[in-house]
Amino acid sequence: MQLYYHPLYSDLILPERHRFPIQKYKLLKTEIENLGVSAIHFKDPKKATASQLALCHSQRYIDDFLNGTLSDKAIKKMGFPYSQQLVERTLLSIGGSIQAAEAAFSHDLTFNLSGGYHHAYSDFGSGFCIFNDLAIAAAHLINTEQADTVLIFDCDVHQGDGTAQITQKNDQIITCSIHCEQNFPRNKQQSTYDFALPAKTTDTEYLATVRQALDFCVRIHYPDIILYNAGADIYTKDELGLFIVSLNGVYERDLFVLNFCKQHQIPLMCALGGGYPRNLSSLINVHKQLFKAAIDL
C-alpha cells in the first residue's frame, strides 16, 4: 500500500462558510495513521507538469489558470477563489494521482489523499474540479506505454461528466459512472457506461449495481489498471447526495472494489472524490471506510 499526500492539500484559504471541506485531507491523514498505517507508506507528490495537463486540457485553459488570466465567470464556475496557493495545491493534487497510478503497477494498491476531480472539462473547471486528475493519469499511462487500457471506475454520487467529455474519443480509456440520476450535474454527458440510480437508492440496490458494473467492465475490457473514484457522498447523511446508503454500505462498496482487484490481480489506484457534510468528523469517518477496507483485505 502506498499513499500520496501533501500538507498543501488542506492548506488553502477559503471564504468563511465555503462549501468545500478543505480541512478533510489533513484530518483524514491523521485518522489513517491512527488505524496503524505507518509513515513509511506516505509519499510526497511532485507537481504535475503543463505537458501532462495538456494530455486532457486545452492549452489556452492551462495557460489562463497557471498565469492568473481566467475570467471572473470561469473562476466562479470553478468554485474556488483564484490564488497562487490554489495553483500550487492543484498541481500537487494532480501530480499525486499521476504518481499513485504509476506506483500501482509495483504496489498493487495505491491512494491519493485528494483527487477524483471528475467535473473538470477539457477547457474549463466546474464543481470544485480544476483539472481532471484521473483522466490525466489514464492518458499519461497510455502515452508512456505503461498501460493499453485503463478503466476509470467512478462511484461518486455525481456523474463524472467532465471525465466522459474528455475521454469520449479515446477508446483506450473506459469510463464507468455510477451516480444519482437526479443529482448534479443537470446536463449529463455520455460515459462508456452510465448507471444512473434514482434518489433514495439503498444499500442493496447500490451494492448490486457496483458489483455488476465492475465485473462487466473487467470481463469486456480487460483493463491493465483501474482508477477508482471512491466518493464519500453516497452516504445517507451527505448534504449534497440523495442516496440512502449506510456507513456499512460505503465500507462494503470499498471492500468489494479493493478485493475484486486483488482477486483479479489488477493494479488499483484510489482517489477520494466528494463528500459534503459540514460536520467534518462525520465526513472523515465516511472517507475512512476506504482505508479500513484496505487494512481488512
Side-chain angles (χ1 to χ4, degrees):
M1 186 194 312
Q2 200 164 87
L3 306 94
Y4 286 79
Y5 170 80
H6 194 282
L8 204 57
Y9 285 3
S10 278
D11 191 14
L12 184 63
I13 298 170
L14 295 176
E16 190 176 354
R17 301 289 295 170
H18 192 276
R19 199 67 193 78
F20 193 82
I22 196 68
Q23 292 301 314
K24 75 177 185 178
Y25 306 103
K26 177 172 66 176
L27 298 172
L28 179 62
K29 180 177 184 283
T30 299
E31 284 298 308
I32 294 168
E33 291 170 333
N34 291 341
L35 289 174
V37 178
S38 68
I40 62 169
H41 294 286
F42 290 90
K43 304 294 179 184
D44 291 333
K46 299 173 185 174
K47 290 191 286 188
T49 65
S51 60
Q52 288 172 331
L53 301 178
L55 292 170
C56 292
H57 296 279
S58 73
Q59 194 61 52
R60 180 176 178 178
Y61 173 49
I62 295 166
D63 291 343
D64 282 345
F65 180 76
L66 296 181
N67 298 330
T69 52
L70 287 170
S71 68
D72 290 344
K73 182 179 178 182
I75 292 171
K76 183 177 180 180
K77 189 171 183 65
M78 190 171 70
F80 291 120
Y82 185 84
S83 66
Q84 191 56 41
Q85 187 184 37
L86 178 66
V87 173
E88 295 295 304
R89 178 194 180 275
T90 298
L91 295 179
L92 283 168
S93 295
I94 306 301
S97 287
I98 294 169
Q99 289 149 55
E102 290 187 310
F105 287 105
S106 53
H107 291 272
D108 297 329
L109 176 61
T110 60
F111 304 85
N112 183 16
L113 265 65
S114 180
Y117 301 130
H118 62 171
H119 297 311
Y121 281 65
S122 58
D123 56 353
F124 64 89
S126 173
F128 308 133
C129 303
I130 298 167
F131 296 117
N132 197 307
D133 62 306
L134 296 187
I136 294 167
H140 171 76
L141 293 177
I142 292 165
N143 189 55
T144 54
E145 299 184 344
Q146 296 178 71
D148 290 320
T149 304
V150 179
L151 170 62
I152 299 178
F153 192 64
D154 192 337
C155 291
D156 193 279
V157 80
H158 307 104
Q159 194 212 25
D161 55 333
T163 309
Q165 181 264 333
I166 287 171
T167 63
Q168 61 188 352
K169 294 180 180 178
N170 191 332
D171 293 338
Q172 291 176 272
I173 302 176
I174 310 304
T175 57
C176 178
S177 180
I178 303 171
H179 55 267
C180 178
E181 187 173 17
Q182 291 88 352
N183 214 320
F184 177 89
R186 184 176 63 181
N187 297 319
K188 307 291 193 288
Q189 299 294 317
Q190 187 173 342
S191 311
T192 313
Y193 304 104
D194 285 298
F195 294 85
L197 296 171
K200 299 185 179 179
T201 291
T202 59
D203 288 24
T204 302
E205 184 182 2
Y206 181 77
L207 293 171
T209 303
V210 169
R211 292 175 183 130
Q212 291 164 13
L214 185 56
D215 181 70
F216 174 82
C217 288
V218 168
R219 280 191 294 110
I220 297 297
H221 297 284
Y222 300 101
D224 298 304
I225 184 172
I226 295 174
L227 309 182
Y228 173 42
N229 187 4
D233 44 14
I234 64 164
Y235 180 47
T236 184
K237 293 183 181 178
D238 195 275
E239 291 166 31
L240 298 184
L242 298 172
F243 286 164
I244 310 177
V245 176
S246 70
L247 191 63
N248 186 63
V250 177
Y251 170 82
E252 290 293 336
R253 176 199 67 179
D254 293 341
L255 183 63
F256 169 77
V257 173
L258 270 58
N259 191 52
F260 183 96
C261 291
K262 180 180 180 181
Q263 294 296 321
H264 289 79
Q265 298 181 310
I266 303 171
L268 176 66
M269 176 265 169
C270 306
L272 289 188
Y276 301 98
R278 291 197 184 273
N279 183 319
L280 272 178
S281 61
S282 172
L283 173 58
I284 299 310
N285 199 30
V286 184
H287 278 304
K288 191 168 72 173
Q289 303 309 306
L290 176 64
F291 302 93
K292 288 177 68 176
I295 291 168
D296 292 345
L297 269 184

